[in-house]
Amino acid sequence: MIYPFNMSNKTNSYINSLILCTVLLCISDLVFAQNDTSRLIGEKMANYQKYHYQERLFVHTDKTFYVAGEEVWMKFYVTDALLHKPSGISKLVYLEIINNKKQSVLHAKIQLAGGFGDGNIKLPESVLSGNYTLRAYTLWMRNEGPDAFFEQAITIVNTINEGAKSPNFPIKSHIDFQFFPEGGHLLEGVENKIAFKAIDENELGVDCSGIVLNERNDTIVKFVSFKMGMGHFIFKPKNSELYRAFVKIGDSLMSPMLPIIQKAGYTMQIFDTNSDKLNISIHQLGGAVDENVYLLLHGPQFTGKSLVHKILNGNTVFDVDKSDLKEGVNGITIFNSSLQPVSERSYFKFPSKRLSIQLNTSQEIYSKKSEIQLGLLAKTNLSEQLSSNLSLSVFLIDSIQTPYAIQDIESYLMLSKEMNGLVQSAASYFDDTKHTIAEREAAIDNLMLTQGWSRYDWKDVFGPAKPTMYFPELEGPLVRAKITYKNNGLPANQVLTYFSIPGKPFYFATAKSNQNGDLLFNVKADIEANDVIVQAKPSADTAYRVSIIDAFDTRLLRRSTATFALPKNFKWDLLNRSIASQAATIFKKNIDQDPADSDTLAFFGKPSNSYYLDAYTRFTSMEELTKEYVQEIKVKKKGENISLVVWNNRFQLYNEGPPFILVDGVPIFNTNTLFSFDPLKIAKIDLITETNLTGNLFSNGIISYNTYNGDLAGFPIDANALVMEYEGAQSKRKFYSPSYPNTMSQKTSFPDLRNVLLWSPTIIVNLNTQKQIQFYSSDLPGKYAIVAQGLTSNGQMGSSIKYITIR
């Protein structure tokens, strides 16, 4: 700026100072605006994470190959998605076994406590031979969709039923090859890292090599897969030049399409320069001049730093401290000045805290029916005094069962579950005994480039919150139902509805419908299969229809199961399995565990008084019984109609309205029907004499009649009530493992053809303290795998495998 020469130096200095302050204020405002925007992105993500708590589920199965008639034994680990600490939120797991037609052929509910549970499912003799998918999830996980569910491939062969042919349709041989530019885009005139992956029809990687040619058939770059069909190369496409690729896989040659070369956009490249920092280079082509770009670190339940940089001359570099990354998969997303996501990729940080499980036996070779002492030691690299919850399986290895088909908890929760698609041999990325650090880092970065794409819909993150479809089952099952008017099928709004499972004890819950006729019953506890009765209060002029919504997810698997094919030379091993399964049916004694102490208190709590009727002279009339023995109940008659009122002990007067009456947990609305019932079938009467508010139910006292077996004993149910079989959570059963303490027991016992010697789903081990486990070998010789998996209370995971031989 030019000033008049006659201006004083003092004035000139003042004006210059003013200009400088103005410039600094503008810069300051700009910096604050940038930081505010960066902070806004982080806050939006953090707020989204806050209302989208994520659970993860891992299932340890006793093995992966079964014959019809055997049982699948399982241990369930439910954790939070970030720290992998046991999650005590959900109380139920939903388990399905799905065939190659994507049909659920078997299912069960398993109870959880403190993030852990175990159960089993019997494979019926009618099950068809084939490859299946074992799928498991909590109700809360259904909000994320099937991609969040646990999946484990298993094989079932029916050796009993000749008509049980495979339901698996052959999958045609097919190779899929794709290129994946780092950050998502390939820019003209910009050096790009391009990853690639070749997989077969079962999503397994296949070795490949290839070249990229220009339009003059000059070889621009050569590439070879590094591990499991994956690799990468550096490529800088020139302006307006055309390219094509050729890939050789085995004896086949294919020409896949290269990614579209764009003339405008953004690229991202990560340079892992040292052990402390990542350099994330951003290149912009054809965008706004000197615009701000924002970097966000994120992951399941994790919102990392949000940073802002200005792009100068089309480039900028973010330096990210590795200490700001979470262990496992980290999402890295770049947003432009309009807060649109323009580039993203994932980076994996190897865990520094791991659970080490050591398995020790006194010898490597054992004879048949002999005692095996196993020492189990769990250690971590932390000084904390922790305990670990472990599961253990000992099973036969042969031509049809390998130990590697079982997924391990650490690689699954930290890697497989956060990737898109199948992660082949996930445990190999964590194996530091067979691969160097550099090899593992290179292999896992190829995986991040090819399968590490964000599952977020950023419109959901930055937009208004969507309503939650499924609520966590904090106490027990949440049963969803719908009520409509019977005459027109329209939703019935604000109708109080009752859910009853008769039994000893009975289960009872209420729900009031919303405007869509939706009902949600919080049953709070669960039992095995039984009849459920759902009804609204009968009305002379209104009838309702109630339907229960299936508790299992009906969304299909995204991936097909592998083609069903048994290994060559399998017949002898399969014959052994078949004989063993049939022998187990004849000889084995499966002993149910003693049921855990359940809460037998009814929904209304401790009764004011209870009458055990066998302590009195029995009457053949319910009216006489009530008048003679139940002093708190007054019987009132108006014509032919009978009604009851209950004496309120607190206020020393009768309650104004009629009490709520139940028989074995089923509401009874017609007192005349009750008084026509045979009192000799009633074993006990419980009373709540005060007014009672439980959930949506307000009552002027409660009278609960209990039959001897809790099965209603023929009491007539209202014709409009829904009566259907309800599948509750299974009760626990104990794996049968015989003992042979002496030579006599070995000789006189039945044939022992177990191919699973031990299944122990709940082993609590204090860290650095060895635990001794005792079990016995069977009559089946061969090599056996001992597989242990587990989780500490602070989220450290680990697994271990050891081999023994039975001769």
Side-chain angles (χ1 to χ4, degrees):
M1 185 174 289
I2 300 175
Y3 302 101
F5 286 107
N6 62 353
M7 183 177 288
S8 68
N9 289 334
K10 184 176 181 180
T11 304
N12 192 21
S13 176
Y14 171 77
I15 292 176
N16 285 334
S17 298
L18 184 62
I19 292 171
L20 178 61
C21 288
T22 303
V23 171
L24 289 174
L25 284 172
C26 290
I27 293 173
S28 177
D29 288 344
L30 180 60
V31 171
F32 279 130
Q34 294 171 357
N35 289 336
D36 284 347
T37 304
S38 178
R39 188 163 52 249
L40 173 65
I41 293 174
E43 289 174 353
K44 285 280 189 182
M45 187 64 179
N47 189 61
Y48 177 85
Q49 301 282 24
K50 179 180 177 181
Y51 291 101
H52 291 80
Y53 174 82
Q54 295 176 335
E55 286 182 325
R56 290 292 178 261
L57 171 62
F58 176 76
V59 184
H60 178 192
T61 58
D62 62 324
K63 55 181 180 176
T64 57
F65 183 93
Y66 302 88
V67 298
E70 287 188 324
E71 293 180 83
V72 183
W73 297 89
M74 297 157 288
K75 167 68 173 285
F76 300 88
Y77 297 85
V78 182
T79 73
D80 70 271
L82 175 59
L83 300 175
H84 307 295
K85 292 184 177 181
S87 172
I89 292 179
S90 293
K91 296 299 184 292
L92 278 181
V93 164
Y94 296 84
L95 170 76
E96 298 179 272
I97 292 181
I98 301 171
N99 66 16
N100 199 43
K101 295 180 183 178
K102 300 186 177 182
Q103 300 167 329
S104 180
V105 296
L106 295 168
H107 56 253
K109 297 178 191 174
I110 312 295
Q111 297 183 74
L112 295 169
F116 301 98
D118 62 272
N120 65 297
I121 191 165
K122 175 87 171 179
L123 299 176
E125 295 182 1
S126 59
V127 68
L128 302 180
S129 297
N131 286 330
Y132 290 79
T133 299
L134 185 150
R135 180 167 83 165
Y137 47 89
T138 65
L139 186 64
W140 180 248
M141 289 171 66
R142 291 179 66 177
N143 290 301
E144 290 187 73
D147 281 345
F149 299 172
F150 173 87
E151 292 181 6
Q152 167 74 59
I154 64 172
T155 299
I156 303 171
V157 174
N158 195 319
T159 60
I160 303 171
N161 186 350
E162 288 292 330
K165 303 299 182 183
S166 167
N168 292 270
F169 297 108
I171 301 175
K172 292 183 179 179
S173 178
H174 173 72
I175 298 296
D176 182 52
F177 184 94
Q178 286 184 299
F179 291 108
F180 302 87
E182 184 173 17
H185 304 289
L186 179 60
L187 288 190
E188 187 177 77
V190 178
E191 189 172 83
N192 296 263
K193 179 188 285 186
I194 300 180
F196 59 88
K197 185 170 188 178
I199 58 174
D200 64 16
E201 63 278 2
N202 293 319
E203 294 190 59
L204 300 179
V206 290
D207 293 336
C208 63
S209 61
I211 57 174
V212 176
L213 304 177
N214 64 12
E215 54 196 1
R216 296 179 300 277
N217 288 329
D218 297 326
T219 299
I220 304 303
V221 67
K222 297 179 180 180
F223 54 88
V224 179
S225 60
F226 174 63
K227 184 178 180 181
M228 288 178 281
M230 292 179 286
H232 72 266
F233 57 89
I234 304 300
F235 177 48
K236 184 178 180 179
K238 294 182 179 179
N239 296 351
S240 303
E241 189 160 296
L242 300 176
Y243 300 90
R244 54 183 177 154
F246 290 95
V247 178
K248 185 178 181 181
I249 302 175
D251 296 328
S252 301
L253 188 67
M254 58 192 305
S255 182
M257 295 290 293
L258 280 164
I260 296 173
I261 300 173
Q262 300 180 346
K263 296 182 180 296
Y266 302 77
T267 64
M268 179 200 313
Q269 275 190 286
I270 289 183
F271 299 95
D272 196 348
T273 55
N274 56 55
S275 60
D276 298 324
K277 287 185 179 294
L278 289 180
N279 298 129
I280 302 175
S281 176
I282 308 301
H283 191 97
Q284 174 215 56
L285 188 64
V289 177
D290 297 343
E291 76 165 331
N292 293 323
V293 290
Y294 304 89
L295 179 147
L296 177 66
L297 302 174
H298 57 85
Q301 295 305 123
F302 169 70
T303 303
K305 281 192 173 181
S306 54
L307 306 172
V308 58
H309 274 196
K310 181 181 289 296
I311 289 185
L312 298 175
N313 299 319
N315 295 281
T316 191
V317 177
F318 290 92
D319 289 326
V320 175
D321 290 330
K322 289 185 180 178
S323 60
D324 292 330
L325 302 173
K326 76 179 186 74
E327 294 187 341
V329 179
N330 293 266
I332 303 172
T333 303
I334 302 296
F335 300 87
N336 63 12
S337 55
S338 301
L339 297 188
Q340 299 297 314
V342 294
S343 185
E344 71 172 9
R345 64 158 293 181
S346 293
Y347 177 85
F348 189 84
K349 181 179 178 180
F350 281 95
S352 60
K353 308 165 189 173
R354 305 179 68 180
L355 175 65
S356 171
I357 302 173
Q358 298 178 9
L359 301 171
N360 305 298
T361 55
S362 58
Q363 57 197 74
E364 304 297 319
I365 300 174
Y366 294 87
S367 58
K368 298 177 182 179
K369 290 182 179 176
S370 62
E371 179 184 302
I372 301 172
Q373 287 284 349
L374 173 68
L376 196 155
L377 180 64
K379 302 169 68 175
T380 72
N381 50 1
L382 297 179
S383 59
E384 299 176 62
Q385 294 297 315
L386 302 170
S387 64
S388 56
N389 192 316
L390 310 179
S391 48
L392 181 70
S393 179
V394 184
F395 57 92
L396 177 67
I397 301 172
D398 53 24
S399 65
I400 50 181
Q401 174 67 71
T402 68
Y404 308 109
I406 297 177
Q407 300 180 88
D408 78 275
I409 186 170
E410 183 180 41
S411 65
Y412 180 83
L413 291 178
M414 295 204 75
L415 181 61
S416 298
K417 197 66 260 172
E418 305 311 323
M419 293 288 97
N420 294 287
L422 174 70
V423 178
Q424 181 183 352
S425 302
S428 66
Y429 295 99
F430 294 76
D431 187 353
D432 54 10
T433 63
K434 298 178 181 178
H435 309 282
T436 66
I437 294 176
E439 288 174 335
R440 290 193 296 137
E441 288 179 345
I444 207 163
D445 200 52
N446 287 331
L447 181 67
M448 295 298 110
L449 290 166
T450 56
Q451 293 180 233
W453 303 104
S454 171
R455 295 175 182 169
Y456 292 115
D457 185 336
W458 293 103
K459 293 179 182 178
D460 292 341
V461 175
F462 293 153
K466 291 184 177 180
T468 300
M469 289 287 295
Y470 303 97
F471 297 99
E473 294 178 304
L474 302 174
E475 300 174 290
L478 295 175
V479 180
R480 297 165 64 227
K482 186 174 282 289
I483 185 169
T484 57
Y485 293 107
K486 206 168 187 178
N487 60 345
N488 57 23
L490 294 175
N493 187 24
Q494 294 298 301
V495 177
L496 183 60
T497 312
Y498 309 95
F499 179 97
S500 305
I501 305 178
K504 297 182 70 176
F506 64 77
Y507 294 88
F508 177 82
T510 63
K512 185 171 285 188
S513 61
N514 63 15
Q515 61 184 2
N516 298 317
D518 297 324
L519 297 161
L520 190 65
F521 298 102
N522 184 5
V523 183
K524 296 185 179 181
D526 218 346
I527 55 173
E528 289 193 282
N530 208 335
D531 284 341
V532 62
I533 300 170
V534 187
Q535 59 182 324
K537 185 175 181 178
S539 170
D541 56 353
T542 306
Y544 303 102
R545 177 178 285 110
V546 181
S547 58
I548 291 180
I549 299 171
D550 188 0
F552 291 87
D553 200 292
T554 57
R555 288 170 288 186
L556 300 177
L557 297 174
R558 292 188 62 182
R559 297 191 299 271
S560 298
T561 54
T563 305
F564 176 60
L566 289 170
K568 295 179 180 179
N569 304 320
F570 68 93
K571 292 185 178 180
W572 178 251
D573 291 328
L574 188 59
L575 177 62
N576 284 338
R577 298 296 180 98
S578 177
I579 294 172
S581 174
Q582 295 177 64
T585 303
I586 299 170
F587 299 115
K588 188 173 67 175
K589 299 177 182 179
N590 277 314
I591 305 171
D592 288 342
Q593 287 183 348
D594 293 332
D597 292 335
S598 58
D599 184 5
T600 58
L601 205 60
F603 72 93
F604 46 75
K606 185 177 180 180
S608 307
N609 200 359
S610 295
Y611 291 87
Y612 294 87
L613 300 185
D614 283 342
Y616 303 89
T617 301
R618 299 306 300 260
F619 287 95
T620 57
S621 160
M622 191 73 80
E623 182 176 354
E624 288 181 292
L625 167 69
T626 305
K627 288 180 177 179
E628 292 295 329
Y629 294 142
V630 189
Q631 57 188 4
E632 295 94 339
I633 299 176
K634 182 178 181 180
V635 180
K636 301 170 67 176
K637 285 189 174 182
K638 188 175 182 180
E640 295 296 322
N641 294 322
I642 301 172
S643 62
L644 306 176
V645 289
V646 174
W647 177 260
N648 191 313
N649 289 324
R650 172 179 293 185
F651 299 108
Q652 293 296 296
L653 50 78
Y654 283 104
N655 292 323
E656 292 184 1
F660 190 65
I661 304 173
L662 306 103
V663 174
D664 288 337
V666 178
I668 306 300
F669 302 103
N670 189 321
T671 310
N672 285 37
T673 303
L674 173 68
F675 271 48
S676 299
F677 189 62
D678 184 358
L680 297 179
K681 295 181 179 180
I682 302 296
K684 186 179 72 162
I685 301 174
D686 289 325
L687 290 175
I688 292 289
T689 61
E690 300 174 4
T691 55
N692 184 274
L693 178 62
T694 304
N696 296 295
L697 174 66
F698 175 80
S699 62
N700 291 287
I702 296 174
I703 309 174
S704 177
Y705 294 87
N706 301 272
T707 65
Y708 285 93
N709 296 321
D711 57 0
L712 292 172
F715 192 94
I717 302 300
D718 185 85
N720 290 314
L722 168 69
V723 181
M724 62 177 289
E725 185 174 313
Y726 173 74
E727 182 180 3
Q730 62 178 226
S731 59
K732 290 185 179 181
R733 300 180 65 220
K734 185 165 61 177
F735 179 83
Y736 175 66
S737 182
S739 62
Y740 306 105
N742 50 53
T743 305
M744 182 64 68
S745 63
Q746 295 174 0
K747 292 181 178 180
T748 59
S749 63
F750 291 117
D752 186 350
L753 301 178
R754 292 171 297 134
N755 57 71
V756 178
L757 303 183
L758 180 67
W759 169 250
S760 186
T762 306
I763 304 174
I764 307 300
V765 180
N766 293 324
L767 296 186
N768 301 315
T769 302
Q770 181 161 287
K771 190 179 187 79
Q772 287 297 127
I773 307 245
Q774 180 194 62
F775 59 98
Y776 287 83
S777 59
S778 67
D779 288 324
L780 278 183
K783 186 177 181 180
Y784 285 77
I786 305 173
V787 176
Q789 310 218 46
L791 177 70
T792 67
S793 55
N794 71 343
Q796 293 181 69
M797 300 165 285
S799 61
S800 183
I801 185 168
K802 180 180 175 57
Y803 302 98
I804 58 173
T805 300
I806 309 297
R807 289 181 178 174

